[in-house]
Amino acid sequence: MSYRGSVGSTAAIRATSSSGEGRYKLVYFNGRGRAETIRLVFAAAGISYEDKRIESQDWPTLKPKTPWGSLPILEVDGKMIGQSLAIARFVAKEAGLSGKSSVEEALINSVVDALTELREKSFEAFMCKDESKKAKLCTEFFEKTLPTYLTNLERFLCNKKYLVGDAMTLADLHFFAVFEPIFGSSPDDALRSHPRVEQLFRRIGGHRSVADYLKSRPETAF
């Protein structure tokens, strides 16, 4: 299952709304990776931003200028924010997608943290350079790790339309960003046996602003 766009350009992507025009500049490599949740939050909220994508050869020059020697970074009001989850939470707060109460915000953060654990495990398997080790890691991921997280998500969702509260939040957008590459590689059985998770994935991917972004974003290798 894939929601990849077909645009090959790395030019800056702009949301349709003029809100925030010129205020936000997101810098990351030319891929989805750890920046995609942030882009999805911008898209869902209709907040305009500059999506600056750099190539690997540009990284050594830029790295010493970043707060923590890593990407993504977000430039806003003359400040530079590092760390992907800090940026995602900041943008979600700006967009009103971080919950309607402190309890909802805490629940959203717990979901985001759990999904990030899964994402890092998927990166470890999918991006392993040792082919024999990669095969073993991928088998373990799809047969052991992924089913555990899917079962927990299915139970957490229960009969709700969204992970937390009655509207889409950062939790749902992070869920989509984490699972999009996983569902693109996993057997269909993983979805069929977890119908609530599948429905949520399709619901977020089908959200008008999200769907528009997915159609227009550059097609990348990761």
Side-chain angles (χ1 to χ4, degrees):
M1 180 183 300
S2 176
Y3 284 88
R4 290 185 181 180
S6 59
V7 179
S9 171
T10 61
I13 296 171
R14 297 283 183 175
T16 55
S17 169
S18 60
S19 173
E21 182 71 35
R23 186 182 180 203
Y24 305 101
K25 180 180 179 180
L26 179 65
V27 183
Y28 191 61
F29 300 105
N30 185 26
R32 288 168 290 172
R34 292 182 172 87
E36 199 64 4
T37 295
I38 304 162
R39 296 183 183 123
L40 287 169
V41 174
F42 275 128
I47 297 175
S48 294
Y49 68 108
E50 181 180 353
D51 187 13
K52 176 67 175 177
R53 296 169 180 248
I54 71 164
E55 300 300 332
S56 56
Q57 63 265 26
D58 301 322
W59 175 230
T61 301
L62 178 60
K63 185 175 181 179
K65 302 175 184 177
T66 63
W68 307 108
S70 62
L71 293 178
I73 56 172
L74 181 71
E75 297 177 20
V76 54
D77 295 344
K79 304 291 184 182
M80 187 180 291
I81 304 171
Q83 297 299 317
S84 60
L85 293 185
I87 298 169
R89 287 175 172 130
F90 166 76
V91 177
K93 193 90 168 179
E94 295 277 283
L97 295 172
S98 59
K100 298 177 181 177
S101 69
S102 57
V103 172
E104 281 196 3
E105 185 173 4
L107 286 168
I108 289 166
N109 286 335
S110 73
V111 172
V112 168
D113 288 348
L115 290 169
T116 301
E117 290 175 357
L118 177 64
R119 183 186 67 183
E120 295 308 307
K121 291 176 181 179
S122 72
F123 284 173
E124 181 185 4
F126 298 163
M127 301 176 73
C128 182
K129 295 181 179 179
D130 184 322
E131 289 301 322
S132 60
K133 186 178 179 181
K134 180 177 180 178
K136 181 179 178 181
L137 288 172
C138 286
T139 297
E140 182 176 352
F141 178 81
F142 284 120
E143 293 184 358
K144 295 181 180 179
T145 305
L146 181 60
T148 297
Y149 279 85
L150 286 171
T151 298
N152 289 338
L153 277 168
E154 190 83 357
R155 183 174 63 247
F156 189 89
L157 268 167
C158 191
N159 294 316
K160 304 191 300 290
K161 288 183 65 176
Y162 300 99
L163 283 163
V164 178
D166 58 3
M168 184 172 64
T169 67
L170 171 62
D172 304 293
L173 294 163
H174 192 52
F175 157 80
F176 186 88
V178 169
F179 272 92
E180 186 187 15
I182 293 173
F183 285 162
S185 305
S186 67
D188 290 340
D189 288 346
L191 281 176
R192 282 199 293 265
S193 57
H194 298 87
R196 295 187 184 99
V197 175
E198 180 181 15
Q199 289 166 13
L200 178 63
F201 185 78
R202 296 185 184 281
R203 182 175 299 118
I204 302 307
H207 181 279
R208 186 174 67 177
S209 296
V210 172
D212 287 346
Y213 163 72
L214 297 175
K215 291 175 184 176
S216 66
R217 72 181 176 185
E219 185 170 355
T220 57
F222 68 93

